[in-house]
Amino acid sequence: MSWAKLAEEVNAYGGALTPPLLTPAECREISGLYGEAGLFRSTVDMARHRFGAGQYRYFDHPFPPLVEQLRAELYPRLLPIARDWAAKLGRPAPWPDDLGEWLDMCHRAGQTKPTPILLRYGKDDWNALHRDLYGDLVFPLQVVIGLDRPGEDYTGGEFLLVEQRPRAQSRGTVTMLPQGQGLVFTTRDRPVRSSRGWSASPVRHGVSTVRSGLRHTLGLVFHDAG
């Protein structure tokens, strides 16, 4: 899929699969980092916080080279979509061309904690529907990358998007993440046409129950946390 086609799908559905971003070897390299506690600033047990079941870890600086590279290369690909959405919704578009400048803005606003995460789900684990906002400065798109082989390394564990349509019932979308591909999806809401022009349609995301095996994903959010 071309990035232009990806933008069309994100506009239509709130999420779309990227072309391959990582090789199988690179996927194994990143998932293998989970046991290296020194790479992470914190670990979250989802059951303890009633987020679901499973665990994830926030990377600390400096990021592993592949994580740093992916975040830097994906940001300019997503920036035109972000700016288009802001224009449709009549919102400010504070995001500069350079990711480093944007993160500096986050830091000056008190959002200094890095947000790339490595998630690990085992049998019967799942993730409740939520949104990753972290502060007042928000980039409206994020990416989750599958690191294992669905149907071989694990079963279940589909990625869920649930959109609250204006004056209508919610709409759900289910995506199985192929190894090495990412899903671009909205961080909080997306523009949808209404009788008055454009309206913001809130979207939450989560993960269905893993039925067997072990599922790892890399999550890339393009704003830091307060």
Side-chain angles (χ1 to χ4, degrees):
M1 179 192 295
S2 70
W3 285 93
K5 179 64 175 176
L6 181 143
E8 291 179 12
E9 287 205 9
V10 173
N11 282 323
Y13 306 113
L17 286 170
T18 70
L21 301 175
L22 296 170
T23 66
E26 289 171 332
C27 289
R28 291 190 294 270
E29 177 184 338
I30 293 176
S31 62
L33 299 175
Y34 200 88
E36 299 185 28
L39 296 175
F40 303 94
R41 65 174 176 86
S42 67
T43 300
V44 176
D45 184 291
M46 286 187 266
R48 178 183 175 189
H49 296 281
R50 302 178 66 87
F51 295 161
Q55 199 177 77
Y56 57 87
R57 288 182 155 174
Y58 286 98
F59 282 100
D60 203 353
H61 293 297
F63 299 150
L66 274 175
V67 175
E68 184 78 47
Q69 179 182 349
L70 283 166
R71 204 184 192 202
E73 291 182 358
L74 287 168
Y75 175 80
R77 296 278 193 177
L78 304 180
L79 192 55
I81 304 173
R83 288 171 172 166
D84 175 59
W85 285 9
K88 287 174 178 174
L89 293 172
R91 293 175 174 171
W95 316 290
D97 292 341
D98 181 73
L99 175 61
E101 292 181 29
W102 166 239
L103 295 176
D104 285 344
M105 291 171 61
C106 291
H107 298 168
R108 290 194 295 271
Q111 296 176 212
T112 59
K113 299 176 183 177
T115 51
I117 59 174
L118 190 56
L119 303 101
R120 184 178 68 182
Y121 302 87
K123 184 178 183 298
D124 295 329
D125 289 345
W126 57 284
N127 196 345
L129 296 173
H130 64 285
R131 296 189 290 179
D132 300 314
L133 301 180
Y134 298 126
D136 292 333
L137 296 182
V138 174
F139 191 76
L141 296 154
Q142 61 192 92
V143 181
V144 61
I145 301 171
L147 301 178
D148 299 301
R149 299 167 297 174
E152 297 183 54
D153 297 320
Y154 68 94
T155 60
E158 297 88 356
F159 191 88
L160 309 173
L161 287 176
V162 177
E163 178 181 26
Q164 178 56 60
R165 307 282 289 178
R167 295 175 298 282
Q169 296 292 330
S170 297
R171 180 178 75 173
T173 303
V174 175
T175 304
M176 184 61 78
L177 292 178
Q179 186 182 45
Q181 286 184 246
L183 180 74
V184 176
F185 63 100
T186 177
T187 301
R188 58 182 176 187
D189 54 28
R190 71 181 190 90
V192 295
R193 284 198 177 275
S194 70
S195 59
R196 299 179 180 178
W198 294 94
S199 297
S201 187
V203 179
R204 295 181 295 163
H205 64 276
V207 174
S208 72
T209 303
V210 174
R211 297 181 181 179
S212 67
L214 199 61
R215 177 190 187 273
H216 296 85
T217 54
L218 173 66
L220 298 175
V221 177
F222 299 89
H223 51 269
D224 283 348

